Amino acid sequence: MTTVALLGNPNTGKTTLFNELTDKYAYVGNWTGVTVEKKVGQIRHSHTKVIDLPGVYSLNPITKDESVVTNYLLGHSPDLILNVTNASQLKRNLLLSVEVLELGVPVIITLNMIDDLKRTGHYYNLKTLSTELGCPVRTTNARNKEGLTELKADLVRDQSEIKPNLPLKLNYPLMVNQAIRQAATSLTKDYKVEPKFAHWLAIQYINNNKVVRKYATMHQLKPLLSQKAYYDAQKFDDQIFETRLSFIEKTLASATEQLQSTQHVAI
Ligand code: GDP
Ligand code: K
Ligand code: MG
């Protein structure tokens, strides 16, 4: 069984996509400890299970409901994450994508609500976006089922046959990079944490992610805990945010295209 997790900002069309992708026998319950609805379904005639995660703007949650997503990623390793974005609000949406891409789990990004974007006369070069982000980028209109046949084919494919995307490596300021590398190395060597996960834990911990900090305390991850005051005093979280934002702005600027006519739109 392959597990695909739907992840994205609120109101990007995750549940609409979920309903289109899965059959009627989706299980509906609640996530542990919160009132958020949990939906798990299966893509018809496939071995692919789909999980509809609650919408979040960041993996550093503000509310308890939002912490569901970060806790899910700390406890599970889905075979694939389908990152659903609003194509017209990519600058804000990609802040979450970057956090997910840093995890190094296979990710497919879909620019959903592509119908709204087309109406603005702007478009993105999908190949450029894909190269910069280091993962496949698709377009969908979940409401009209456009792009869903192609997307479904991506999701039911045997994920072990696909070359996984590497974790996204951003050019953080030297001191931040050093701190990440030092902590990740020690977590891997002394605490047997898997290297990609150690790298992501380090970034998230340094970035003052409350759920990850609690996780580090619970698991007594000393390489992180012992440097907490230093990370905070240096305001590394601000530097991480700035780096991510400028990466996103640069990526979008290089991928933005003007629509000449609708027939140039590949969907
Ligand atoms: P979620 O919060 O991410 O689960 O988003 P929903 O699936 O609830 O969708 C939010 C709203 O966007 C609903 O009114 C949907 O009908 C609408 N929606 C979803 N996908 C699309 C799309 O591709 N294009 C347009 N125009 N609307 C969409
Ligand atoms: K909603
Ligand atoms: Mg929803």
Side-chain angles (χ1 to χ4, degrees), residues 146-171:
E146 283 179 272
L148 294 198
T149 309
E150 296 84 345
L151 186 65
K152 225 181 249 191
D154 284 338
L155 303 188
V156 301
R157 201 164 289 151
D158 183 354
Q159 296 302 321
S160 64
E161 284 173 8
I162 299 168
K163 199 167 118 264
N165 41 284
L166 296 168
L168 182 66
K169 288 273 163 75
L170 293 192
N171 236 338

PDB file of all heavy atoms in Angstrom, residues 146-171:
ATOM      1  N   GLU A 146     -10.042  19.150 -14.237  1.00  0.00           N
ATOM      2  CA  GLU A 146      -8.979  19.279 -15.238  1.00  0.00           C
ATOM      3  C   GLU A 146      -7.643  18.879 -14.625  1.00  0.00           C
ATOM      4  O   GLU A 146      -7.318  19.293 -13.511  1.00  0.00           O
ATOM      5  CB  GLU A 146      -8.867  20.723 -15.729  1.00  0.00           C
ATOM      6  CG  GLU A 146      -9.937  21.118 -16.706  1.00  0.00           C
ATOM      7  CD  GLU A 146      -9.779  22.579 -17.122  1.00  0.00           C
ATOM      8  OE1 GLU A 146     -10.322  23.454 -16.429  1.00  0.00           O
ATOM      9  OE2 GLU A 146      -9.088  22.823 -18.109  1.00  0.00           O
ATOM     10  N   GLY A 147      -6.880  18.082 -15.359  1.00  0.00           N
ATOM     11  CA  GLY A 147      -5.553  17.674 -14.906  1.00  0.00           C
ATOM     12  C   GLY A 147      -5.581  16.503 -13.937  1.00  0.00           C
ATOM     13  O   GLY A 147      -4.535  16.054 -13.476  1.00  0.00           O
ATOM     14  N   LEU A 148      -6.779  16.001 -13.634  1.00  0.00           N
ATOM     15  CA  LEU A 148      -6.865  14.957 -12.597  1.00  0.00           C
ATOM     16  C   LEU A 148      -6.442  13.575 -13.100  1.00  0.00           C
ATOM     17  O   LEU A 148      -5.903  12.778 -12.340  1.00  0.00           O
ATOM     18  CB  LEU A 148      -8.279  14.898 -12.009  1.00  0.00           C
ATOM     19  CG  LEU A 148      -8.712  16.130 -11.213  1.00  0.00           C
ATOM     20  CD1 LEU A 148      -9.889  15.810 -10.329  1.00  0.00           C
ATOM     21  CD2 LEU A 148      -7.565  16.669 -10.373  1.00  0.00           C
ATOM     22  N   THR A 149      -6.682  13.293 -14.383  1.00  0.00           N
ATOM     23  CA  THR A 149      -6.272  11.997 -14.929  1.00  0.00           C
ATOM     24  C   THR A 149      -4.760  11.861 -14.834  1.00  0.00           C
ATOM     25  O   THR A 149      -4.233  10.832 -14.394  1.00  0.00           O
ATOM     26  CB  THR A 149      -6.722  11.877 -16.401  1.00  0.00           C
ATOM     27  OG1 THR A 149      -8.095  12.208 -16.464  1.00  0.00           O
ATOM     28  CG2 THR A 149      -6.504  10.470 -16.924  1.00  0.00           C
ATOM     29  N   GLU A 150      -4.061  12.931 -15.229  1.00  0.00           N
ATOM     30  CA  GLU A 150      -2.593  12.931 -15.190  1.00  0.00           C
ATOM     31  C   GLU A 150      -2.102  12.831 -13.743  1.00  0.00           C
ATOM     32  O   GLU A 150      -1.168  12.096 -13.440  1.00  0.00           O
ATOM     33  CB  GLU A 150      -2.037  14.212 -15.825  1.00  0.00           C
ATOM     34  CG  GLU A 150      -2.334  14.373 -17.316  1.00  0.00           C
ATOM     35  CD  GLU A 150      -3.708  14.979 -17.599  1.00  0.00           C
ATOM     36  OE1 GLU A 150      -4.559  15.012 -16.665  1.00  0.00           O
ATOM     37  OE2 GLU A 150      -3.946  15.396 -18.742  1.00  0.00           O
ATOM     38  N   LEU A 151      -2.748  13.601 -12.871  1.00  0.00           N
ATOM     39  CA  LEU A 151      -2.326  13.604 -11.469  1.00  0.00           C
ATOM     40  C   LEU A 151      -2.528  12.227 -10.836  1.00  0.00           C
ATOM     41  O   LEU A 151      -1.661  11.713 -10.130  1.00  0.00           O
ATOM     42  CB  LEU A 151      -3.121  14.660 -10.690  1.00  0.00           C
ATOM     43  CG  LEU A 151      -2.681  14.880  -9.244  1.00  0.00           C
ATOM     44  CD1 LEU A 151      -1.276  15.460  -9.200  1.00  0.00           C
ATOM     45  CD2 LEU A 151      -3.638  15.804  -8.520  1.00  0.00           C
ATOM     46  N   LYS A 152      -3.671  11.618 -11.129  1.00  0.00           N
ATOM     47  CA  LYS A 152      -3.967  10.299 -10.586  1.00  0.00           C
ATOM     48  C   LYS A 152      -2.901   9.301 -11.030  1.00  0.00           C
ATOM     49  O   LYS A 152      -2.444   8.471 -10.238  1.00  0.00           O
ATOM     50  CB  LYS A 152      -5.352   9.842 -11.067  1.00  0.00           C
ATOM     51  CG  LYS A 152      -6.199   9.231  -9.969  1.00  0.00           C
ATOM     52  CD  LYS A 152      -7.546   8.777 -10.501  1.00  0.00           C
ATOM     53  CE  LYS A 152      -8.664   9.641  -9.973  1.00  0.00           C
ATOM     54  NZ  LYS A 152     -10.001   9.105 -10.239  1.00  0.00           N
ATOM     55  N   ALA A 153      -2.499   9.396 -12.284  1.00  0.00           N
ATOM     56  CA  ALA A 153      -1.456   8.498 -12.806  1.00  0.00           C
ATOM     57  C   ALA A 153      -0.165   8.674 -12.016  1.00  0.00           C
ATOM     58  O   ALA A 153       0.533   7.707 -11.702  1.00  0.00           O
ATOM     59  CB  ALA A 153      -1.224   8.773 -14.284  1.00  0.00           C
ATOM     60  N   ASP A 154       0.148   9.920 -11.657  1.00  0.00           N
ATOM     61  CA  ASP A 154       1.349  10.198 -10.838  1.00  0.00           C
ATOM     62  C   ASP A 154       1.242   9.523  -9.474  1.00  0.00           C
ATOM     63  O   ASP A 154       2.215   9.043  -8.923  1.00  0.00           O
ATOM     64  CB  ASP A 154       1.487  11.699 -10.575  1.00  0.00           C
ATOM     65  CG  ASP A 154       2.009  12.449 -11.786  1.00  0.00           C
ATOM     66  OD1 ASP A 154       2.633  11.812 -12.650  1.00  0.00           O
ATOM     67  OD2 ASP A 154       1.788  13.673 -11.850  1.00  0.00           O
ATOM     68  N   LEU A 155       0.038   9.539  -8.911  1.00  0.00           N
ATOM     69  CA  LEU A 155      -0.137   9.081  -7.536  1.00  0.00           C
ATOM     70  C   LEU A 155      -0.190   7.563  -7.411  1.00  0.00           C
ATOM     71  O   LEU A 155       0.195   7.017  -6.378  1.00  0.00           O
ATOM     72  CB  LEU A 155      -1.415   9.678  -6.914  1.00  0.00           C
ATOM     73  CG  LEU A 155      -1.533  11.204  -6.900  1.00  0.00           C
ATOM     74  CD1 LEU A 155      -2.743  11.635  -6.092  1.00  0.00           C
ATOM     75  CD2 LEU A 155      -0.284  11.870  -6.349  1.00  0.00           C
ATOM     76  N   VAL A 156      -0.700   6.881  -8.447  1.00  0.00           N
ATOM     77  CA  VAL A 156      -0.832   5.425  -8.342  1.00  0.00           C
ATOM     78  C   VAL A 156       0.434   4.707  -8.819  1.00  0.00           C
ATOM     79  O   VAL A 156       0.567   3.508  -8.649  1.00  0.00           O
ATOM     80  CB  VAL A 156      -2.051   4.875  -9.125  1.00  0.00           C
ATOM     81  CG1 VAL A 156      -3.332   5.494  -8.607  1.00  0.00           C
ATOM     82  CG2 VAL A 156      -1.896   5.116 -10.615  1.00  0.00           C
ATOM     83  N   ARG A 157       1.350   5.480  -9.410  1.00  0.00           N
ATOM     84  CA  ARG A 157       2.607   4.899  -9.866  1.00  0.00           C
ATOM     85  C   ARG A 157       3.360   4.304  -8.669  1.00  0.00           C
ATOM     86  O   ARG A 157       3.271   4.806  -7.563  1.00  0.00           O
ATOM     87  CB  ARG A 157       3.449   6.015 -10.497  1.00  0.00           C
ATOM     88  CG  ARG A 157       4.517   5.534 -11.429  1.00  0.00           C
ATOM     89  CD  ARG A 157       5.007   6.698 -12.272  1.00  0.00           C
ATOM     90  NE  ARG A 157       4.014   7.119 -13.252  1.00  0.00           N
ATOM     91  CZ  ARG A 157       3.889   8.363 -13.731  1.00  0.00           C
ATOM     92  NH1 ARG A 157       4.682   9.300 -13.298  1.00  0.00           N
ATOM     93  NH2 ARG A 157       2.955   8.641 -14.613  1.00  0.00           N
ATOM     94  N   ASP A 158       4.086   3.207  -8.934  1.00  0.00           N
ATOM     95  CA  ASP A 158       4.889   2.598  -7.872  1.00  0.00           C
ATOM     96  C   ASP A 158       5.993   3.583  -7.470  1.00  0.00           C
ATOM     97  O   ASP A 158       6.916   3.829  -8.225  1.00  0.00           O
ATOM     98  CB  ASP A 158       5.501   1.283  -8.386  1.00  0.00           C
ATOM     99  CG  ASP A 158       6.289   0.565  -7.297  1.00  0.00           C
ATOM    100  OD1 ASP A 158       6.457   1.141  -6.200  1.00  0.00           O
ATOM    101  OD2 ASP A 158       6.730  -0.560  -7.552  1.00  0.00           O
ATOM    102  N   GLN A 159       5.851   4.164  -6.269  1.00  0.00           N
ATOM    103  CA  GLN A 159       6.749   5.249  -5.865  1.00  0.00           C
ATOM    104  C   GLN A 159       8.199   4.792  -5.731  1.00  0.00           C
ATOM    105  O   GLN A 159       9.122   5.584  -5.867  1.00  0.00           O
ATOM    106  CB  GLN A 159       6.271   5.882  -4.554  1.00  0.00           C
ATOM    107  CG  GLN A 159       4.911   6.561  -4.659  1.00  0.00           C
ATOM    108  CD  GLN A 159       4.872   7.650  -5.716  1.00  0.00           C
ATOM    109  OE1 GLN A 159       5.827   8.394  -5.877  1.00  0.00           O
ATOM    110  NE2 GLN A 159       3.784   7.720  -6.469  1.00  0.00           N
ATOM    111  N   SER A 160       8.387   3.493  -5.490  1.00  0.00           N
ATOM    112  CA  SER A 160       9.768   3.006  -5.328  1.00  0.00           C
ATOM    113  C   SER A 160      10.519   3.000  -6.659  1.00  0.00           C
ATOM    114  O   SER A 160      11.730   2.918  -6.701  1.00  0.00           O
ATOM    115  CB  SER A 160       9.754   1.597  -4.733  1.00  0.00           C
ATOM    116  OG  SER A 160       9.131   0.710  -5.630  1.00  0.00           O
ATOM    117  N   GLU A 161       9.773   3.128  -7.776  1.00  0.00           N
ATOM    118  CA  GLU A 161      10.416   3.145  -9.086  1.00  0.00           C
ATOM    119  C   GLU A 161      10.792   4.561  -9.514  1.00  0.00           C
ATOM    120  O   GLU A 161      11.410   4.767 -10.545  1.00  0.00           O
ATOM    121  CB  GLU A 161       9.476   2.541 -10.147  1.00  0.00           C
ATOM    122  CG  GLU A 161       9.401   1.031 -10.060  1.00  0.00           C
ATOM    123  CD  GLU A 161       8.345   0.461 -10.990  1.00  0.00           C
ATOM    124  OE1 GLU A 161       7.781   1.217 -11.793  1.00  0.00           O
ATOM    125  OE2 GLU A 161       8.094  -0.751 -10.880  1.00  0.00           O
ATOM    126  N   ILE A 162      10.364   5.527  -8.718  1.00  0.00           N
ATOM    127  CA  ILE A 162      10.622   6.924  -9.082  1.00  0.00           C
ATOM    128  C   ILE A 162      11.820   7.437  -8.300  1.00  0.00           C
ATOM    129  O   ILE A 162      11.939   7.199  -7.097  1.00  0.00           O
ATOM    130  CB  ILE A 162       9.394   7.799  -8.784  1.00  0.00           C
ATOM    131  CG1 ILE A 162       8.205   7.293  -9.610  1.00  0.00           C
ATOM    132  CG2 ILE A 162       9.676   9.260  -9.096  1.00  0.00           C
ATOM    133  CD1 ILE A 162       6.892   7.882  -9.193  1.00  0.00           C
ATOM    134  N   LYS A 163      12.705   8.131  -8.994  1.00  0.00           N
ATOM    135  CA  LYS A 163      13.856   8.714  -8.325  1.00  0.00           C
ATOM    136  C   LYS A 163      13.341   9.806  -7.375  1.00  0.00           C
ATOM    137  O   LYS A 163      12.714  10.760  -7.810  1.00  0.00           O
ATOM    138  CB  LYS A 163      14.807   9.318  -9.365  1.00  0.00           C
ATOM    139  CG  LYS A 163      16.211   9.521  -8.843  1.00  0.00           C
ATOM    140  CD  LYS A 163      17.163   9.812  -9.995  1.00  0.00           C
ATOM    141  CE  LYS A 163      17.782  11.155  -9.884  1.00  0.00           C
ATOM    142  NZ  LYS A 163      17.410  12.318 -10.466  1.00  0.00           N
ATOM    143  N   PRO A 164      13.558   9.633  -6.070  1.00  0.00           N
ATOM    144  CA  PRO A 164      12.998  10.617  -5.147  1.00  0.00           C
ATOM    145  C   PRO A 164      13.703  11.968  -5.263  1.00  0.00           C
ATOM    146  O   PRO A 164      14.890  12.017  -5.584  1.00  0.00           O
ATOM    147  CB  PRO A 164      13.262   9.998  -3.773  1.00  0.00           C
ATOM    148  CG  PRO A 164      14.377   9.049  -3.967  1.00  0.00           C
ATOM    149  CD  PRO A 164      14.343   8.605  -5.391  1.00  0.00           C
ATOM    150  N   ASN A 165      12.939  13.046  -5.029  1.00  0.00           N
ATOM    151  CA  ASN A 165      13.603  14.346  -5.061  1.00  0.00           C
ATOM    152  C   ASN A 165      14.500  14.494  -3.850  1.00  0.00           C
ATOM    153  O   ASN A 165      14.213  13.992  -2.764  1.00  0.00           O
ATOM    154  CB  ASN A 165      12.599  15.502  -5.145  1.00  0.00           C
ATOM    155  CG  ASN A 165      11.387  15.321  -4.281  1.00  0.00           C
ATOM    156  OD1 ASN A 165      10.491  14.558  -4.602  1.00  0.00           O
ATOM    157  ND2 ASN A 165      11.396  15.997  -3.153  1.00  0.00           N
ATOM    158  N   LEU A 166      15.617  15.184  -4.070  1.00  0.00           N
ATOM    159  CA  LEU A 166      16.547  15.430  -2.968  1.00  0.00           C
ATOM    160  C   LEU A 166      15.929  16.482  -2.056  1.00  0.00           C
ATOM    161  O   LEU A 166      15.092  17.255  -2.489  1.00  0.00           O
ATOM    162  CB  LEU A 166      17.868  15.948  -3.528  1.00  0.00           C
ATOM    163  CG  LEU A 166      18.627  14.963  -4.413  1.00  0.00           C
ATOM    164  CD1 LEU A 166      19.763  15.663  -5.137  1.00  0.00           C
ATOM    165  CD2 LEU A 166      19.160  13.806  -3.569  1.00  0.00           C
ATOM    166  N   PRO A 167      16.354  16.527  -0.791  1.00  0.00           N
ATOM    167  CA  PRO A 167      15.861  17.616   0.060  1.00  0.00           C
ATOM    168  C   PRO A 167      16.300  18.953  -0.543  1.00  0.00           C
ATOM    169  O   PRO A 167      17.428  19.067  -1.013  1.00  0.00           O
ATOM    170  CB  PRO A 167      16.567  17.385   1.395  1.00  0.00           C
ATOM    171  CG  PRO A 167      17.137  16.021   1.344  1.00  0.00           C
ATOM    172  CD  PRO A 167      17.290  15.648  -0.096  1.00  0.00           C
ATOM    173  N   LEU A 168      15.417  19.923  -0.552  1.00  0.00           N
ATOM    174  CA  LEU A 168      15.757  21.262  -1.032  1.00  0.00           C
ATOM    175  C   LEU A 168      16.827  21.851  -0.100  1.00  0.00           C
ATOM    176  O   LEU A 168      16.681  21.824   1.118  1.00  0.00           O
ATOM    177  CB  LEU A 168      14.498  22.133  -1.026  1.00  0.00           C
ATOM    178  CG  LEU A 168      14.648  23.554  -1.540  1.00  0.00           C
ATOM    179  CD1 LEU A 168      14.985  23.579  -3.023  1.00  0.00           C
ATOM    180  CD2 LEU A 168      13.361  24.343  -1.287  1.00  0.00           C
ATOM    181  N   LYS A 169      17.916  22.364  -0.692  1.00  0.00           N
ATOM    182  CA  LYS A 169      18.983  22.968   0.106  1.00  0.00           C
ATOM    183  C   LYS A 169      19.036  24.460  -0.196  1.00  0.00           C
ATOM    184  O   LYS A 169      19.478  24.858  -1.268  1.00  0.00           O
ATOM    185  CB  LYS A 169      20.330  22.310  -0.222  1.00  0.00           C
ATOM    186  CG  LYS A 169      20.483  20.883   0.318  1.00  0.00           C
ATOM    187  CD  LYS A 169      21.021  20.867   1.754  1.00  0.00           C
ATOM    188  CE  LYS A 169      20.807  19.540   2.450  1.00  0.00           C
ATOM    189  NZ  LYS A 169      21.700  18.466   2.013  1.00  0.00           N
ATOM    190  N   LEU A 170      18.565  25.265   0.729  1.00  0.00           N
ATOM    191  CA  LEU A 170      18.605  26.706   0.536  1.00  0.00           C
ATOM    192  C   LEU A 170      19.924  27.263   1.047  1.00  0.00           C
ATOM    193  O   LEU A 170      20.577  26.678   1.909  1.00  0.00           O
ATOM    194  CB  LEU A 170      17.442  27.386   1.269  1.00  0.00           C
ATOM    195  CG  LEU A 170      16.039  27.105   0.742  1.00  0.00           C
ATOM    196  CD1 LEU A 170      15.040  28.069   1.361  1.00  0.00           C
ATOM    197  CD2 LEU A 170      15.984  27.178  -0.768  1.00  0.00           C
ATOM    198  N   ASN A 171      20.277  28.416   0.491  1.00  0.00           N
ATOM    199  CA  ASN A 171      21.519  29.077   0.869  1.00  0.00           C
ATOM    200  C   ASN A 171      21.313  29.947   2.102  1.00  0.00           C
ATOM    201  O   ASN A 171      21.269  31.173   2.001  1.00  0.00           O
ATOM    202  CB  ASN A 171      21.968  29.953  -0.297  1.00  0.00           C
ATOM    203  CG  ASN A 171      23.354  29.586  -0.733  1.00  0.00           C
ATOM    204  OD1 ASN A 171      24.122  28.988   0.044  1.00  0.00           O
ATOM    205  ND2 ASN A 171      23.688  29.941  -1.956  1.00  0.00           N
TER     206      ASN A 171
END
